[in-house]
Amino acid sequence: MITLDNVSKTYGTGEQAIHALKPVHLHVPQGAIHGVIGLSGAGKSTLIRCVNLLERPTTGRVFVDGDELTALDAASLNRARHRVGMIFQHFNLLSSRTVFANVALPLELMGVAKREIRERVEPLLELTGLADKRDMYPAQLSGGQKQRVAIARALASRPKVLLCDEATSALDPQTTLSILELLQDINRKLGLTILLITHEMEVVKTICHRVSLISAGELVEEADVGDFFTAPQTRLGREFLNAFLELEPPQALVDRLAAQPGDDTHPVVRLAFTGDSVSTPLVSRLARDCDIDVSILEAKVESIQDRTLGLMIAELIGPADKTREALAYLESHDLQVEVLGHVQRDA
Amino acid sequence: MSSAMLELILEATLDTLYMVAVSGLIATALGVPLGVLLYVTRPGQILAQPLTNRVLGMVTNIGRSIPFIILMVAIIPFTRALVGSSIGTNAAAVPLTIAAIPFVARLVEGALNEVPPGLIEAAQSMGATPYQIITKVLLPEARGGIITGLTITVVTLISYSAMAGAVGGGGLGDLGIRYGYNRFNPTIMLITVVILVVLVQGFQMLGDYLVRRSDHK
Ligand SMILES: Nc1ncnc2c1ncn2[C@@H]1O[C@H](COP(=O)(O)OP(=O)(O)OP(=O)(O)O)[C@@H](O)[C@H]1O
Ligand SMILES: [Mg+2]
């Protein structure tokens, strides 16, 4: 439904050129909810704005619903944009128009007759839970309600694709959840393809099917959400995940961690259990089979859509040869092992 | 006060209103589009035309920098060619209009500048043409600011029209100078001042009311 082929964006020229987006490839199939996550300034907005050509890519081609947008003249592009809705972080509603008139705007732009506008806007207000707010002005609405108006407005032209630029970043967690549920509902009911950008793992976890990680203008990783949350392939991916899971070793321990093992040290590991390994009693087996002690410092279980993810930070306490053996044992199983460092015994 | 005097005052008031109305309406009709052009042709704007923008900006600035009293005298030949005379209310309306056009244009440009750029982007994402962005987004969203600007223009025109009156334009300024100053009639002087104050106050209140009504922020 959406294909970016070698799309890049450079602002400015010569010395001051900013390569906001390096050449990227991205394909989002019909009906998917695809998230792009990255840090501030990574190029997320640039990427999503290239999809509907709010930003003209410097190189590359953009396809939406079979049309090459980058090849269209101004009039055809405007027509093609009716099939691509967009919502924004700051809602961008017209303060001079009521809720109804805001939602009607795209239809007015398309030249739809008044009566038909009413017939199309009313159901959208129902769908987004705004029927009783019909004649209010945006200033009288809460942030969540404003984003609902923006969603209804974006759907008015019956688009195939919805672009969401940090659509929930200005909202509190609870409102965020209700907006995400609405988006999911729309995706299911209308088969709408959604491309969203965010800096929040929570958003990706809650509604995305697939996710791309963007860093310094490059898409460095792409995976199904279940895989990304259980086994991110890049360092940045792991950082995002750890920050999201808030599973960092306690500071007191970090201060004592040495990168290299010494004479009298034992390893501290972070274990991520996924798939079958979640339900296997690995820790007790480890202690028994390798004859070591395992001290669990932190542990947590998260469910990511249909997957379960178990996380643990533990010290493996025993003689050096035994703990080495224990690490090998862990690595031979279906779980991720990361040695965070080594601490002095009895320190 | 004699009824002849009252008639004179009434006539002068109507003359002032006539000059303000004619110049205000024409200046709005020309100044609003000029202000829109100044805004939309800016670099990076929806109809970016940097050269056109610079030329329009320069012309507007020249218009705004000429003192009104000098403009009035300088364009006498033009005024005479246009309305057939260099005195009277019609003749006074010409320089008033010319002075007000760039004034309105800059105030409109300023009002448009207050419209959040995100709204233009949202409209573009909906496939709006530049013309639709102007009529459906920019002008309605800037309505309050534009009305404020037009109110300032009308108030300024009232005081300028009094100045025009001093050089044969008619209206309250003319009356104040001829009777109040030249014939030293303080009552007439006072009455013209009071009427001018009431007019300014009235238009300001009307403007404020219209702004309040169009403001949903
Ligand atoms: N119009 C522009 N002109 C010049 N540089 C720009 C422009 N827009 C964005 N940039 C630069 O491009 C880079 C990527 O910006 P972008 O807005 O895409 O980041 P982002 O990932 O959306 O960040 P945030 O999370 O803060 O919104 C930044 O370095 C930014 O300064
Ligand atoms: Mg951004």
Side-chain angles (χ1 to χ4, degrees):
Chain A
M1 182 55 63
I2 305 172
T3 303
L4 301 185
D5 175 24
N6 206 32
V7 167
S8 75
K9 177 73 191 183
T10 305
Y11 293 107
T13 49
E15 298 263 303
Q16 292 117 43
I18 298 170
H19 300 285
L21 203 59
K22 314 267 168 61
V24 297
H25 295 272
L26 181 70
H27 178 72
V28 183
Q30 147 82 44
I33 303 182
H34 192 111
V36 176
I37 191 165
L39 298 170
S40 187
K44 302 184 297 291
S45 296
T46 306
L47 175 81
I48 203 162
R49 291 158 53 82
C50 278
V51 175
N52 60 357
L53 300 203
L54 279 183
E55 215 69 78
R56 237 327 127 182
T58 311
T59 67
R61 299 183 300 167
V62 176
F63 297 87
V64 174
D65 194 20
D67 286 334
E68 186 189 340
L69 300 193
T70 33
L72 299 179
D73 60 38
S76 317
L77 175 62
N78 281 336
R79 246 173 289 124
R81 278 173 171 167
H82 297 151
R83 282 177 284 141
V84 186
M86 187 166 191
I87 57 174
F88 305 85
Q89 179 172 2
H90 298 296
F91 324 122
N92 295 350
L93 299 177
L94 270 60
S95 68
S96 59
R97 285 178 171 241
T98 61
V99 167
F100 179 92
N102 263 288
V103 179
L105 177 62
L107 300 173
E108 286 176 30
L109 298 176
M110 291 163 73
V112 175
K114 268 227 167 69
R115 163 120 54 81
E116 200 192 331
I117 289 182
R118 179 131 23 104
E119 284 167 5
R120 284 173 65 168
V121 170
E122 304 281 358
L124 285 170
L125 296 180
E126 291 289 337
L127 175 73
T128 48
L130 291 165
D132 57 330
K133 305 281 184 294
R134 194 183 183 282
D135 298 318
M136 289 195 173
Y137 286 92
Q140 299 165 287
L141 302 177
S142 71
Q145 290 165 340
K146 285 183 199 167
Q147 197 60 290
R148 284 169 184 275
V149 178
I151 290 170
R153 181 176 72 174
L155 296 178
S157 59
R158 297 190 180 137
K160 300 273 183 69
V161 167
L162 182 65
L163 306 175
C164 311
D165 186 350
E166 301 267 9
T168 57
S169 299
L171 305 175
D172 62 63
Q174 202 151 359
T175 313
T176 293
L177 208 59
S178 81
I179 292 294
L180 294 178
E181 274 164 12
L182 176 61
L183 290 175
Q184 196 161 44
D185 198 35
I186 290 163
N187 167 258
R188 288 185 184 147
K189 273 194 195 145
L190 311 177
L192 199 71
T193 307
I194 299 179
L195 176 62
L196 64 85
I197 65 167
T198 182
H199 61 265
E200 294 167 313
M201 289 286 274
E202 190 66 41
V203 171
V204 175
K205 176 194 148 181
T206 311
I207 65 164
C208 291
H209 306 147
R210 251 179 112 68
V211 59
S212 297
L213 183 63
I214 187 169
S215 168
E218 286 181 89
L219 294 179
V220 293
E221 179 168 358
E222 183 181 331
D224 283 341
V225 166
D227 293 335
F228 182 70
F229 275 80
T230 47
Q233 297 300 307
T234 58
R235 196 193 149 80
L236 181 66
R238 281 190 291 275
E239 280 171 16
F240 261 103
L241 185 60
N242 290 335
F244 168 67
L245 297 166
E246 291 175 332
L247 201 74
E248 293 295 333
Q251 192 56 44
L253 178 69
V254 172
D255 293 341
R256 289 165 44 210
L257 276 179
Q260 296 303 321
D263 291 338
D264 217 19
T265 62
H266 56 249
V268 175
V269 293
R270 172 163 35 214
L271 307 175
F273 304 81
T274 58
D276 292 340
S277 65
V278 176
S279 47
T280 319
L282 263 174
V283 174
S284 56
R285 271 191 210 162
L286 181 72
R288 205 167 49 233
D289 296 1
C290 302
D291 191 21
I292 58 165
D293 286 322
V294 180
S295 163
I296 297 171
L297 302 172
E298 275 186 61
K300 187 169 196 174
V301 176
E302 274 281 336
S303 52
I304 314 293
Q305 299 181 0
D306 55 345
R307 312 269 197 108
T308 309
L309 172 64
L311 282 143
M312 187 183 290
I313 292 179
E315 296 182 31
L316 306 181
I317 305 166
D321 55 331
K322 288 274 161 83
T323 57
R324 253 200 311 278
E325 199 182 307
L327 281 174
Y329 177 88
L330 287 171
E331 268 156 15
S332 71
H333 284 77
D334 179 22
L335 79 166
Q336 273 155 63
V337 187
E338 188 185 350
V339 178
L340 298 174
H342 304 264
V343 285
Q344 281 291 322
R345 213 162 290 170
D346 322 307
Chain B
M1 192 179 304
S2 69
S3 69
M5 210 64 239
L6 276 179
E7 207 167 296
L8 217 57
I9 291 169
L10 181 67
E11 195 183 323
T13 307
L14 290 177
D15 280 351
T16 291
L17 287 175
Y18 173 79
M19 285 187 287
V20 171
V22 168
S23 57
L25 286 175
I26 300 176
T28 301
L30 298 176
V32 172
L34 179 60
V36 170
L37 268 183
L38 280 169
Y39 181 73
V40 297
T41 58
R42 284 183 184 181
Q45 261 303 339
I46 52 173
L47 290 173
Q49 295 277 347
L51 188 67
T52 311
N53 186 263
R54 207 142 353 115
V55 172
L56 287 177
M58 222 141 68
V59 172
T60 308
N61 284 346
I62 292 170
R64 291 209 50 196
S65 54
I66 302 172
F68 179 67
I69 200 92
I70 293 179
L71 176 82
M72 208 162 42
V73 178
I75 65 162
I76 281 177
F78 174 71
T79 305
R80 199 172 279 141
L82 204 65
V83 298
S85 160
S86 66
I87 54 168
T89 49
N90 280 329
V94 176
L96 283 174
T97 307
I98 288 176
I101 291 171
F103 192 77
V104 170
R106 282 296 184 207
L107 291 172
V108 167
E109 185 192 12
L112 295 176
N113 203 29
E114 295 295 308
V115 176
L119 300 190
I120 299 175
E121 255 176 24
Q124 281 174 323
S125 78
M126 293 170 210
T129 62
Y131 179 77
Q132 288 176 321
I133 292 174
I134 293 168
T135 56
K136 299 255 176 205
V137 178
L138 285 175
L139 290 176
E141 286 293 306
R143 188 161 55 209
I146 292 174
I147 296 173
T148 302
L150 292 179
T151 307
I152 296 172
T153 306
V154 167
V155 167
T156 307
L157 279 173
I158 291 173
S159 79
Y160 278 17
S161 78
M163 226 192 285
V167 292
L172 289 166
D174 184 36
L175 187 72
I177 293 280
R178 273 193 290 137
Y179 288 79
Y181 182 73
N182 293 346
R183 300 190 195 170
F184 197 67
N185 183 338
T187 319
I188 294 284
M189 182 74 105
L190 192 66
I191 288 173
T192 54
V193 169
V194 168
I195 294 176
L196 285 169
V197 169
V198 169
L199 285 181
V200 167
Q201 199 67 38
F203 278 110
Q204 189 63 52
M205 279 163 63
L206 177 67
D208 290 346
Y209 166 74
L210 291 175
V211 170
R212 249 195 330 271
R213 232 190 41 175
S214 72
D215 188 17
H216 300 288
K217 288 195 189 96

